[in-house]
Amino acid sequence: MAQLRNAGFVSVAVDPVALVVQECITVTSAMRKHARWAQSSVAAILGGGPSAGVADTRSRAGLRSRPPEEKETEHNDRLSTSSISDDPGLANRWGLRGKKGQSMQDNPLLSAFARLRSDLKSCKDIQTVDAPSILHPFLQVIRSSSTSAPITSLALIAITKFFAYSIISRESPQLPLAMQRLSSAVTHCRFEASDSATDEIVLFRILKLMEGMITGPGGEVIGDESMCEMMETGISMCCQVRLSELLRRSAEVSMVTMCQTIFERLKHLDVEPEEEVDLDLSRKESAKADTEGVKMDPSIDGDMIAAKKDNTGSTSTTQSLELPQGKNTPRDSETIAGSTPVDVSEKDSEADPNDIKPYSIPSIRELFRVLVDLLDPHERQHNDTMRVMALRIVDVALEVAGPSIASHPSLATLAKDTLCRHLFQLVRSENMSILNESLRVAGTLLSTCRRVLKLQQELFLSYLVACLHPRVEIPREAGIDPALYDGVPQAPRLVKPVQSQSNSGRSTPVPVKDRQRLGMEGGLRKPDAREAMVENVGALVRIPSFMAELFVNYDCEIDRADLCLDVVGLLARNAFPDAATWSTTNVPPLCLDALLGFVQSLHDRLQDDPIATDLPSTDRLRKQRDLKKLIVKGATKFNEDPRSGLSFLASQGLIDDIENPASVAAFLKGTSRIDKKILGDYISKKSNEPLLSAFMNQFDFNNLRVDEALRQLLNSFRLPGEAPLIARIVNEFTAKYLTDPPPAHLADKDALYILTYAIIMLNTDQHNPNVKPQNRMTFQDFSKNLRGVNAGKDFDSEYLQEIYDSIKNREIILPEEHDNRHSFDHAWKDLLYKIQSTTDLGICHTNIFDADMFAATWKPLVATLSYVFMSATDDTVFSRVVAGFHQCAQIAAKYNLHDALDHIIFCLSSISTLAVEKLPSTHLNTEVPAGEKNVMVSETAVRFGRDFKAQLATVVLFRLVNGNEAAIRDGWNHLILIMLNLFVNSLVTNSYSAVSSNLDLPPIPMQSPAQVVDRGERANEGGGFSAFISYVSSFANDDPPEPSDQEIEFTLCTVDCVNACSFEELFSNIGYVYLLVASFKDTDIDSELPVPALKAFVSTLLAHLPEDSSPRIMTVKQPDIHVPTPVRANGQKVKQVSMDFDPGLVFALEFVTILCARSSETLSAIGKDVAVALMGVVRDSANIHAVTLSRTVYYLLTFLRASHDHDFVRVPVVLHAVSKFEKEQLKQCGPLIVKGLTVCLEGRTDLRNEMVNSPDFWFVLQALSSLPETAQAVFEILEGVTKDSAAALTADNYDPVVSLLNDFATAASVGAKAERRRDEAPAKGKSKSKGKSQEPSETVQRGIKAMDIVFQITSRIPSFIQQSQLEPHQAWKTYWSPPFRTLKTHALNPCRQVRTQALTSLQRSLLSPSLGPSSSIIPHPTTTTSETNDTDGAPTSDKTTTTTSVETTTLFTNILFPLLSQLLKPEVWHSDPAGMGDTRLQAALLCCKVYLRFLDVLLTAPAPPPSSTPASDKEGTNSDSGTSDSTKSSEDSNAGGASSKTTSSEETIVVNNTHNNNTANGTITSNNSADDKGAQADTRPPTGITIWLRILETMERLMKSGGGSSHAEALEEAVPESVKNIVLVMANAGYLVPAEEEGEERSDLQRKLWESTKTRLDRFLPGLMDEVFTAQVPLNIPSASTPAAAGSKGATSTQTQTQTQPQKEGTHEEGKEKPDTDAKVVGPGPGDDGEVD
């Protein structure tokens, strides 16, 4: 502190001692020039008498401190000096006048300077000189009334220099004594009056000197008394109205500076012990100060200039500071007359410097008290100028040391009582200077000392709220939705109903203007006053913790007002522009700034660490607020209807037992919100006597005088107006009063009853304004009325006198009904009484209450921001409001205040104009180029681009939404409306496309624009006539007009605005981007958006979906159009399609589907709703646009995969719904349906298995397999099912799989045309094309693969048969017939590659180990089949199918023979003339191979009984060889495909061999009966002979069918060789045996087989038998009696032959021309099931 004070001082360049001497000379020189001191002695000039020794001079110089005992010696020295000076010789010696003239050397003023000069002659260091000695001569001049103003001014200047140049510093000896003498001198300064200007200069220098003393280094040593004297002097100068304005202002400035230093010292003082302080004003004013010396009584009306008389009796004018003095301070100094000395040093020297203590609490408290007393509005001596001055000084004191004032009990008492009482009355002043300063002081007081001003702050703020909150409805403006400002309160919460006034004496009505002056209501304050009040409230609100403290200490306390809500409400209401009509134009922006400051403080604390130390818990505060709301509601109901109010309170548990009067009374007395008049009327009713008695029992009248008890009682309710009700109350009162120990002078209840009534009457008489003062009751009248009523005696006179005086001075009345001058004092006394039981205000430097506070105040905040946003025109206002919106949103999101954030979104959405329920029409949308891209000009884009506020609101909206999505609930409704509106107008398609690109779906198609304008091309078409033609053409064609440049510019503004909204970030925050990547993977993903928020978003989005068959759902009028129609440029009219498409619907469905599939948690939360929405659209397929339907099916299938563990939707339901689509709908939706099915099949195994076993699944695939765009995908699904190792191919889906494979092979027949063109190219002189043209088409490739897959699935047949519950024969027929029929059918396919692959697959199937031969039917096994892979990669089974003669016969009669018969037909030949010959050859060889494979089965087994070959299976039956070629097989009619699980019947083999009627054992007769029911059993030879004869017949026909072609030659070579091989095998096996030789016998079979074979072969291969059997080595033919042995041997031989035969055929066919195809056909493995060449 010393360093700070020394910082203002400067060093002196001259010798300090010389400077002091020079100042002495300056003052004495001026004095000598004055007439009074014109005859000065030489000693006065030289500085001392000639006889004075040096030692004596030093002893008087005060170079060091002298003890008090030396003072007597000094006095004797002075006398000695005087005697020496009387020596005439000495005088004449110096040439001076002798006794002829009066010598002035003994003048105390001049001699003092002379002594100081003399003492300083030998001084080397001025710091060693006592400070009082240096100041002594100057102080004598200041206190002397004989000096003039200029001389006094010179003395003051000199002292000021001494302090400024540190001549007198903190190190100076006896500084406290010097400061005491100096303060006494300057506060008792006297001088001769001259002109006012000169005199005021002296006063001004005194002010500056006091300021320097207090603020300088010596200020800390000033005592309390000296400080009070100086402060008294300064205040007196400020208050002296006769002084000039300049001097008074200067005094005020100096006082401010001095008070800053004084109150700064308060911070460093120890807090005084806190004692019980009585706040009663009368008792406080009667208390004495700690010391009389620190009492201040500044002069207010006096004059600092007084006329004095000199010693001659003439009147001379002198100046003096006429200030009241303390007890120990001399009132007057000696009057200087002639040479009469004025020396106060002798008196001051009596004080011990060690007893002087630095000023502290006593002087500071006294200064504070005087300043506060100057604020008394009822003190007539204090004018407004004085009050303004005092307010400014008090404000400085509070600014410097406000918290310290609150910490010191004595100062806090002044602040809590006197200061607040005066301030709160001054703020009601109409004087703007008083109002402004009082508001400033009040604001400073509350900002620094509010901890101890809890109730005072409530009173002050309540008044401001009552003054500032208008009762005017918010004006409605066009274009502003009233819902935007619905949250602004129309009236403050603290407003109570106005009490009805009566003339009963219980209230004193006064005019309204007087009520306003007295501070009883806000009234209509002037506009400037309102502005000042608003500024004050704004300053308080900007204190960071102020609003939180209001909320915690008032809004959350039951008995306190809702100050936080009321302050926010009044600021919000006055921020509306119409507030300027009753205030000033500055009020709305001031209120808005205060509100934004409040929001800013909340926002700044968001990231702070919560601090809850020594603070109430938030849970408790919430409970208190809830309880407070119930009490307020119950009290309101009680004030309207007491019974219903009590019932409500009891229902809420606020009254324990409504039947218990004590419970009801306890609540009514403890609640201040009950209307006192209603309460008085209610409890005084006769029916409520128990309640009245219980109510009385709530009071404690012990040790109270009867009037005091009655006053306490009537403070809780108002007396009713009816006499019986009053009598009932008085009666209960007397009964209660007497239960407590009553005073001895009360005889009985009757006496008390009468006395109580008399007191009530006295109260009415004394305070009724209608009673004239001279007619009011006197004490004598009062006592006379009560004479003899105290049990026949009089009441004690003193007792009655006390009652009378109390009633006369203080009216018994409710505080709210006080209207007279003493009303505020009464209310204030009540407040002081409550303070004693009220805790201090809690300071809340924390953010733990911000959530609850913002939840209670966000409505007016957001409403104000919205209204100002709509009505503002200034950019600065927009900027502040935008920041406010953003901060409010962040606060709401941080504390999960969903309602607040939702309402913010609603307000901004409403301002944006985009959140419309009914989307605008897009039929007139026009696409135009703009720079490097095209933009869609629409009605929405143009209208939105014109509205700057709408654009700004939209940008603000989405910027505050981004990052806060988790806290949004109902706000999604408005956001979704905006997104849909922008989406359908192609304004967010880019953002959405970037997001949906990972979905593996094409972007959602948008509606085609009405026209596309190529402005670049139009620009090249110059000329006005061209423009005119274009205009007329567009008008004639009913085209929309081309957009203008302005409309395009507006559209570009809209595009820029939408880009600024960052929709990509919004989608990302919702979790959309993360989900797109993994929505089709069976993994859970964590997203930023929690489940509750996601559920709200999805529910809202689904709510915007139209209901089934609603007009919004599009009706398909032209279902063949399923994508937007392409448009043409240059404004030409595009063909209009009479259908509607809503991209927004697809957008919503796509969004919810992917969000739902996010995780198992989200699926459980929203899956049911999403499933219902998707299934609703699919079921309503007849009314849904194809694009919407196709994508919905895909979403549904995606959802099905994710929700398979739930029961939201099931596979059969979904597939059945899709299968019910119309054929055209399936065609249009096919690609996405197949994609969706693929997604499901790639998922979990159980889902895939459930789907592939559904008939509807295969129905849909079969329907879609014929579509070019879906065929490949369907085939991939089919291929995946057949090749899946997880048993996706089952017995249930086996038939539809084969059928679908048949369809693909059938579709591949289109490849025949390409093959024919290639074959015909060389004949026309064209070279065969190379490259891509040689590659088979996709359709052909699928057909080839289909035939290979048919073979591969045959490996599963054994396991199917084993798992089947059918009979073995029926099971064989069920599972083997479909693939054989399919392969046989496509062995005739016109496409050579497919036909070749079909024959290869047929050969591999017929010769595969799965179709193993057996001589007997093996019983149905129960074991399962384990699968392996053969050498070609095809799956095989380690179990073989039991193939009997019946099944073997079926292979020939139903498969091979019909195949060969069809190949011999001309129409089949002409389908592929170039390759059909090879096919015939391959089929012939295959027939021979199969016969050899099953030779033993055919020749050893008996003919099947008729029951096993029903007549219905007559396929392939021939009546003779001539008709066999024309035999039609049932498979020909089913070439297009087979139905599910349809088994072709076997054919009964009946051969009529017309060429050999003498066959041994008879001929196999033909049964041509069409009815199988009439078939009869017969015994026939083994079927092997019949099959063999049929083979020979077919071979003969093949040899004869070729003509001269190369294919015929091949047949002619291959057929004999093949037949020869069979003959050799049969011969080696012992089946074909020549005619009997000696000693050998042939069996019937051998004989018949030989005869038939020889006969047939001799017809077309004569000599073959002879050739074979001539060269053949004789074999050991088994005996006929051992057919089994023959069969066994034959089987062995057949197996051997089978192993070697393919090499022969391969060798034989080597070099033959192969079919012209590049298709790779997978051949069989080792054995006879090799690839057909």
Side-chain angles (χ1 to χ4, degrees), residues 1108-1386:
D1108 293 350
S1109 302
S1110 65
R1112 182 179 172 185
I1113 296 181
M1114 286 58 67
T1115 301
V1116 182
K1117 296 182 179 180
Q1118 293 187 8
D1120 55 322
I1121 305 297
H1122 60 90
V1123 293
T1125 305
V1127 296
R1128 292 179 292 175
N1130 300 327
Q1132 299 179 9
K1133 184 177 180 181
V1134 180
K1135 180 181 180 180
Q1136 299 294 326
V1137 180
S1138 58
M1139 69 167 63
D1140 292 326
F1141 170 64
D1142 184 4
L1145 176 61
V1146 182
F1147 169 79
L1149 293 172
E1150 182 173 301
F1151 217 155
V1152 298
T1153 302
I1154 299 179
L1155 290 179
C1156 180
R1158 185 180 72 176
S1159 65
S1160 58
E1161 186 179 7
T1162 57
L1163 187 63
S1164 301
I1166 61 178
K1168 185 175 182 180
D1169 296 336
V1170 175
V1172 170
L1174 295 175
M1175 283 302 300
V1177 175
V1178 173
R1179 288 194 180 103
D1180 198 31
S1181 59
N1183 299 316
I1184 301 297
H1185 191 276
V1187 175
T1188 304
L1189 184 61
S1190 62
R1191 297 182 77 98
T1192 303
V1193 172
Y1194 179 78
Y1195 306 148
L1196 181 60
L1197 292 172
T1198 304
F1199 176 81
L1200 176 63
R1201 167 180 172 169
S1203 64
H1204 187 58
D1205 288 337
H1206 302 268
D1207 58 353
F1208 303 137
V1209 64
R1210 287 300 182 186
V1211 172
V1213 177
V1214 175
L1215 296 178
H1216 185 71
V1218 176
S1219 67
K1220 291 296 182 181
F1221 287 179
E1222 297 292 337
K1223 181 179 179 181
E1224 192 63 31
Q1225 285 181 322
L1226 279 175
K1227 177 181 179 181
Q1228 296 170 346
C1229 303
L1232 291 185
I1233 292 177
V1234 176
K1235 184 184 289 289
L1237 293 175
T1238 304
V1239 168
C1240 291
L1241 294 176
E1242 292 174 354
R1244 296 173 44 173
T1245 303
D1246 53 349
L1247 173 62
R1248 180 198 56 202
N1249 292 340
E1250 187 176 1
M1251 292 190 69
V1252 299
N1253 288 314
S1254 171
D1256 292 322
F1257 175 82
W1258 298 105
F1259 175 82
V1260 173
L1261 289 185
Q1262 194 164 25
L1264 299 177
S1265 62
S1266 60
L1267 303 179
E1269 58 270 20
T1270 59
Q1272 181 61 32
V1274 172
F1275 186 81
E1276 291 174 357
I1277 293 176
L1278 180 62
E1279 192 173 17
V1281 171
T1282 57
K1283 293 185 178 181
D1284 193 352
S1285 61
L1289 180 65
T1290 64
D1292 293 332
N1293 57 28
Y1294 174 74
D1295 277 348
V1297 166
V1298 175
S1299 177
L1300 190 56
L1301 291 170
N1302 177 70
D1303 292 344
F1304 279 109
T1306 302
S1309 60
V1310 297
K1313 297 181 179 179
E1315 292 174 346
R1316 180 166 295 185
R1317 286 194 297 269
R1318 289 196 299 269
D1319 294 341
E1320 294 175 355
K1324 296 180 180 180
K1326 299 180 181 180
S1327 60
K1328 290 187 177 182
S1329 59
K1330 298 181 180 180
K1332 295 183 179 180
S1333 60
Q1334 296 294 328
E1335 295 291 334
S1337 64
E1338 292 184 357
T1339 304
V1340 175
Q1341 289 181 353
R1342 287 194 294 269
I1344 296 172
K1345 291 181 180 180
M1347 293 297 95
D1348 182 62
I1349 293 173
V1350 171
F1351 160 70
Q1352 293 178 13
I1353 65 175
T1354 58
S1355 63
R1356 308 279 183 90
I1357 294 178
S1359 62
F1360 293 159
I1361 294 177
Q1362 292 176 2
Q1363 298 171 6
S1364 174
Q1365 300 298 325
L1366 301 175
E1367 293 294 331
H1369 174 72
Q1370 187 65 28
W1372 193 99
K1373 183 170 60 175
T1374 300
Y1375 294 108
W1376 279 109
S1377 295
F1380 287 152
R1381 286 200 310 271
T1382 300
L1383 294 174
K1384 181 208 70 173
T1385 300
H1386 294 289

Side-chain angles (χ1 to χ4, degrees), residues 181 243 580 604 621 664 694 728 842 966 993 1009 1237 1276 1350 1482 1499 1512 1648:
R181 291 178 178 178
L243 297 178
D604 292 342
L621 293 181
V664 177
R728 193 171 293 118
S993 298
L1237 293 175
E1276 291 174 357
V1350 171
Q1482 294 170 11
L1499 295 181
S1512 58
K1648 294 178 181 179

Side-chain angles (χ1 to χ4, degrees), residues 1640-1674:
E1640 294 184 357
E1641 293 183 2
R1642 295 184 300 177
S1643 64
D1644 292 339
L1645 173 63
Q1646 293 171 337
R1647 181 173 50 81
K1648 294 178 181 179
L1649 185 60
W1650 174 265
E1651 293 176 355
S1652 301
T1653 302
K1654 184 171 176 54
T1655 303
R1656 179 67 68 175
L1657 287 178
D1658 289 343
R1659 288 176 50 187
F1660 70 97
L1661 292 176
L1664 178 62
M1665 292 290 288
D1666 296 338
E1667 178 184 353
V1668 171
F1669 284 95
T1670 301
Q1672 184 181 16
V1673 179

Side-chain angles (χ1 to χ4, degrees), residues 29 74 133 238 335 443 482 643 706 761 807 871 906 1021 1024 1122 1132 1238 1434 1521 1537 1647 1686:
S29 175
E74 181 184 1
S133 300
C238 295
T335 303
R643 291 186 178 275
V706 63
M761 294 177 63
I807 298 300
S871 58
F906 160 72
E1021 297 178 2
H1122 60 90
Q1132 299 179 9
T1238 304
S1521 60
R1647 181 173 50 81

Side-chain angles (χ1 to χ4, degrees), residues 637-655:
K637 289 181 176 292
F638 181 89
N639 295 336
E640 297 173 355
D641 183 5
R643 291 186 178 275
S644 64
L646 292 177
S647 299
F648 173 79
L649 293 169
S651 66
Q652 299 298 326
L654 299 178
I655 297 178

Side-chain angles (χ1 to χ4, degrees), residues 77 162 187 215 332 460 488 511 528 691 699 795 857 876 971 981 1045 1094 1324 1426 1562 1620 1679:
D77 291 341
F162 295 162
T187 57
T215 60
D332 297 311
F460 175 70
V488 179
D528 291 340
L691 177 60
F699 294 90
F795 290 103
T857 58
T876 303
N981 194 358
D1045 292 340
L1094 183 64
K1324 296 180 180 180
S1426 61
K1620 182 179 179 181
S1679 174

